[in-house]
Each structure stands twice: as C-alpha cells, then as structure tokens.
Amino acid sequence: MEEDEMLNVLPKVLSNVQNNLRDLQQEWKEVKAMAVSALQPKQVLGHREVVISKSDLDNLASEAEQVKANLSKIMNKNTLALIKDAAKMHDDLQVVTAERDSLRSEVGHWKTQLDTALSEEQRQKQEQLELRIDIQELTSQLSQQSEFCSSLGASCCTLLWRVSRQEDSIQNIISGNRSEEFLSVLSNSIDSYLNAYKDDQWPEQGTDEATFLLALCGIVTNIAASALGREYLASHTCGQRTLDVFITFISEAPTGKSCAMKNLMLMSLYNMSINQKGLAYLCGKQGLIAMLSSHLKEEKNIESQIGSLRLLQSLVSDESNPRLLHELKENLTMDYLYKLTKHSCQEIQELSLELIMDLR
C-alpha cells in the first residue's frame, strides 16, 4: 500500500511544479511583450493599451528579474527536496519490493508444503481404507476360524470326556508328555472365558465355547475321580494351578450362570480333598471356606448347593486343621444349617446334619 501511494504522489508533485513554471514563463513573456510595446512610439492606443513611464518599466523589469532569480532558487530547492523524496521513495520501494518477493517466496514454500501435506493425507487415507478392508477380512476369517476351532474343540473334548471315564484312559492321559500342556490350555481357557465375560453379558451354555470348557472341566473331574489322577494333580504345579483356576471361577462367575461347569469344578475339588496331598493343598487356601459358604447361600442350583456342602464337610473333617472349623462357624450359623435340614432335597438335609455334628 505504501508503495502505491509513493508512486501516486511523485507524478502529482512534478506536474504541479511544471504547471507553476509554465505559468511564470507565460507571465514573463507577457511582461516582456508589454515592455517592448511600451517602448515603441504609437499614435493611437487600443482600449487594452496603457502608457507607462520608463521608470515604472524599469521597476517592472527589475521585479521580473528578481522573480526569475527567485524562481530559479525556489525551483532548485523544491527540485532537491523532490529528488531526496524520490530517492527515499525509491529506497522504500526497493525494501517493499524485497519484502513482497520474500513473502511471495514464503507463500510459495508454504503452498508447496500444503500440497505435500494434502497429498500425504490423501495417501494415508487410502492406506487406512485399505487397512480397514484388510482388518474386516481378517476379522471375518478369524471369526470363522474361531468358530471352527471352538466347534472342533467342543467335539474332540466331549469325546475325550467320555473316554476319560475309563480308568485305563486316565492313566494314558496323565502319563503322556502332553498332560501338562493339556492342563495349561485348560487353565488359560477358563481364565480367558472368565475375564472376557464376568463384566459383560454372560454367554449362553449352548455355545461351542461353553461346551468346550464344560468338556475340559469334565475331563479334569474324571481325572480327579481316579486315585492316580488325584495324586498327579496334587503333586504337579500344572494340576495345582488348575485347582486354583476352579476356585477363582466359582468365586467370580455370576450367580446362577454356568452352573454345570461350577458343579463339575466342585466335584473335582471334592475328589481332590480325598487325597492327603490334595486336602493339604486345599486347606492351605485362604478364604476357601468363606467362598464356599457364600456360594452355598447365594446359589439356588441344588447340585451346586450339594457340591458346596459336600466339599465343606470334607474340608472341616480334617482334625489336624481346626482353623477351618472355626472359619466355618464364622460364616455359617447354626440357624442357617438347621434351616437346610428342612430342605426339600434329602441329600442337602443329610449333609447339613453332618456339618452340624462337626460343628458340635
């Protein structure tokens, strides 16, 4: 903006000076013409002509000379000022021009950066779109494979569950080099199942995943039903971890959910309490009596109640560990046990009476 104003002002000033100079020159010509005409003798004067004295003419000529001299000084002074202003304007114009060129260069640079960024963003969007498509395809394939594996695992483990009912089969299962790996898979699968659904909607029991886990628990129950199997589970770390996973699942799984799995787990724990090593391991679990007592009170499934009572009665029958009997007294009152003796299920009645006798 400053550059345009400077360019507009300079021609205007020069034009004013030229006009003033022309006016003064014109007046000077008129004065000279009038002086020459006055010096020539004339007989008749026109209506625009006057006669002046020589002294007045000399004064007029002297004034004209002074005006001419002053005009030269004024012109020189104004011209120098204009030249200085013009030089300053020229310098300012160069500065403004340099700044404009710099800004243009910077604008060009940022425009290039913008084009590059837009191109990169477009490329990334395209890559993300392709990745989403790939993820959807992989998710679909993974879901299909997961369903297939769950179905296959449910079928195979159900068959193995049936096979494990035979004593000879139990010996083959625990004597193989894959027995620890099998128990590790079982523990991890139950842990994952519990962590995935305990804070979410619990799945129905008819799914392949639930059937697969139910069969795994059934296999362990059959192993624990064998004397050789109980000894194996109680003596190996993988077997002890399986017992820990069962206790955690019974404690944290929602009430009224996966009752069939809980019943198999309670049966496995009860079978382990028959073994001396298994009983010692279970008696050493802090909070087990409190957990079983709470499960007995909250669970409405009869089989689960029977399993809890049977396991409690087996644990407190160990006279070498009076702490468990004391914990049972703290968690189950006599009034509650007497109430159970009037239960509609005869087995619950009998187990309640046995616990009352143990407490006495």
Side-chain angles (χ1 to χ4, degrees):
M1 190 65 183
E2 294 179 358
E3 176 186 355
D4 294 339
E5 292 178 355
M6 293 168 61
L7 293 175
N8 291 332
V9 170
L10 185 59
K12 187 174 181 181
V13 173
L14 292 175
S15 176
N16 291 334
V17 173
Q18 290 176 354
N19 292 334
N20 293 333
L21 181 60
R22 283 195 296 269
D23 293 340
L24 289 174
Q25 289 176 346
Q26 183 64 28
E27 290 179 1
W28 173 245
K29 289 179 180 179
E30 291 179 358
V31 170
K32 287 177 66 177
M34 291 175 62
V36 172
S37 176
L39 293 175
Q40 292 179 357
K42 293 185 177 180
Q43 298 296 328
V44 181
L45 298 175
H47 66 281
R48 292 185 177 180
E49 296 177 347
V50 294
V51 177
I52 60 175
S53 63
K54 186 176 183 302
S55 59
D56 293 335
L57 183 60
D58 292 338
N59 291 334
L60 183 59
S62 177
E63 291 178 0
E65 289 294 336
Q66 291 179 359
V67 169
K68 184 177 179 180
N70 292 333
L71 179 63
S72 177
K73 294 179 180 179
I74 293 172
M75 286 296 297
N76 290 336
K77 184 178 180 181
N78 290 338
T79 302
L80 291 175
L82 288 173
I83 291 173
K84 291 181 179 179
D85 292 340
K88 185 176 181 303
M89 289 181 180
H90 179 70
D91 294 339
D92 294 341
L93 179 61
Q94 287 182 338
V95 173
V96 171
T97 302
E99 292 178 354
R100 181 193 62 188
D101 294 340
S102 176
L103 290 174
R104 283 179 178 175
S105 177
E106 188 173 355
V107 168
H109 169 72
W110 286 114
K111 185 178 180 181
T112 302
Q113 294 290 330
L114 176 61
D115 294 339
T116 303
L118 291 175
S119 176
E120 180 67 17
E121 182 184 7
Q122 188 64 28
R123 184 185 65 80
Q124 291 180 356
K125 286 182 178 179
Q126 184 65 28
E127 290 180 354
Q128 289 177 358
L129 178 60
E130 293 175 356
L131 287 175
R132 287 195 188 99
I133 295 173
D134 292 341
I135 290 173
Q136 290 177 353
E137 293 178 355
L138 292 174
T139 302
S140 177
Q141 294 176 6
L142 182 61
S143 177
Q144 294 175 0
Q145 293 176 0
S146 178
E147 292 176 359
F148 172 76
C149 291
S150 297
S151 177
L152 179 62
S155 300
C156 293
C157 287
T158 301
L159 293 175
L160 184 59
W161 185 8
R162 295 176 182 175
V163 172
S164 64
R165 294 173 183 172
Q166 303 297 325
E167 184 73 20
D168 295 340
S169 301
I170 298 297
Q171 185 174 0
N172 292 331
I173 291 174
I174 63 177
S175 62
N177 55 4
R178 292 299 183 92
S179 57
E180 292 186 4
E181 184 178 350
F182 168 75
L183 292 176
S184 177
V185 170
L186 182 147
S187 300
N188 292 333
S189 299
I190 294 177
D191 267 342
S192 300
Y193 188 82
L194 180 63
N195 293 330
Y197 298 116
K198 69 178 180 180
D199 295 328
D200 202 351
Q201 185 176 2
W202 198 263
E204 297 295 334
Q205 290 304 293
T207 62
D208 289 334
E209 187 178 12
T211 303
F212 170 67
L213 293 177
L214 183 65
L216 290 176
C217 293
I219 295 169
V220 175
T221 302
N222 289 339
I223 293 175
S226 167
L228 186 62
R230 289 193 292 271
E231 185 67 23
Y232 177 83
L233 293 175
S235 303
H236 290 77
T237 304
C238 57
Q240 295 173 358
R241 181 171 184 270
T242 301
L243 300 180
D244 293 341
V245 170
F246 282 4
I247 294 172
T248 301
F249 187 90
I250 296 171
S251 174
E252 297 183 4
T255 302
K257 303 295 183 179
S258 299
C259 291
M261 289 177 58
K262 292 178 182 177
N263 294 338
L264 289 173
M265 292 177 180
L266 288 170
M267 190 178 299
S268 298
L269 295 174
Y270 171 75
N271 289 337
M272 290 302 303
S273 68
I274 300 175
N275 181 275
Q276 290 297 322
K277 292 181 181 179
L279 179 61
Y281 183 78
L282 293 176
C283 290
K285 304 298 294 184
Q286 294 292 332
L288 180 58
I289 297 295
M291 185 274 290
L292 292 173
S293 301
S294 176
H295 187 263
L296 173 64
K297 295 175 183 178
E298 297 175 1
E299 192 63 61
K300 302 305 179 183
N301 182 269
I302 293 179
E303 292 297 326
S304 295
Q305 290 180 329
I306 292 174
S308 299
L309 284 170
R310 185 183 290 122
L311 181 55
L312 283 170
Q313 198 274 333
S314 179
L315 292 174
V316 298
S317 64
D318 182 16
E319 298 179 357
S320 63
N321 198 340
R323 175 182 60 85
L324 299 180
L325 193 61
H326 179 69
E327 289 184 10
L328 183 61
K329 291 180 181 179
E330 291 181 346
N331 289 278
L332 290 180
T333 63
M334 284 293 186
D335 291 339
Y336 179 76
L337 291 176
Y338 277 121
K339 183 179 178 181
L340 289 181
T341 58
K342 299 177 182 180
H343 199 278
S344 58
C345 177
Q346 184 177 356
E347 191 170 0
I348 292 179
Q349 295 177 12
E350 295 174 354
L351 290 171
S352 301
L353 286 173
E354 291 179 5
L355 273 180
I356 291 174
M357 297 299 295
D358 290 335
L359 290 176
R360 287 180 176 176

